[in-house]
Amino acid sequence: MEGKRGSECLLKSVSNIDFNPIFQKAESISCQLCPLELAVYLRLQWQGQEKSTNNILHKHEAPQDAVTVASPVIDPDPNHPKGFYLRNIDGQLWLRGYICVFHPEDRFAFIGGK
């Protein structure tokens, strides 16, 4: 689903977007942050997400094959989750909160985009 639109949603990898910090420059490629509640709807609708080949979770890093829903940070407290990510582990679809650092292979869901 990389780089394809489904309704108004676009998935991009950080390396394809080629910017840092990610959320501050989303507008430059015509992307908008998602409302936080969109993560719930994406999880309910996206039943065919690829299965992760690695079910190990690393503290403060996006899990392998996860898609982070790019949304505004509601609470700057470093101990409070910053948003949600979607993941498929052994056929179990996940919606989880995150506190992490992003890497070039990480993927994000935005609204709109080029």
Side-chain angles (χ1 to χ4, degrees):
M1 205 166 138
E2 182 73 26
K4 294 183 181 177
R5 289 179 194 233
S7 298
E8 293 276 332
C9 186
L10 179 70
L11 293 183
K12 289 285 210 176
S13 68
V14 177
S15 59
N16 286 348
I17 295 170
D18 194 29
F19 61 69
N20 192 15
I22 298 156
F23 297 163
Q24 291 179 353
K25 292 193 178 179
E27 190 174 300
S28 70
I29 60 167
S30 301
C31 286
Q32 298 175 15
L33 298 179
C34 302
L36 190 60
E37 61 273 12
L38 183 61
V40 175
Y41 293 106
L42 289 173
R43 178 67 296 154
L44 291 171
Q45 291 296 315
W46 190 19
Q47 299 293 303
Q49 182 178 9
E50 313 92 36
K51 288 183 182 178
S52 176
T53 57
N54 179 348
N55 62 3
I56 297 172
L57 294 175
H58 299 281
K59 188 173 183 177
H60 302 302
E61 290 185 9
Q64 184 252 348
D65 290 330
V67 174
T68 301
V69 179
S71 59
V73 173
I74 293 178
D75 187 343
D77 180 340
N79 297 312
H80 189 274
K82 302 302 171 214
F84 294 104
Y85 69 83
L86 310 172
R87 193 169 182 213
N88 182 346
I89 299 177
D90 297 326
Q92 293 290 319
L93 299 174
W94 290 36
L95 171 66
R96 291 196 62 178
Y98 73 86
I99 299 174
C100 67
V101 175
F102 300 112
H103 299 286
E105 63 274 9
D106 295 338
R107 296 184 303 163
F108 290 81
F110 291 96
I111 295 175
K114 296 178 184 176

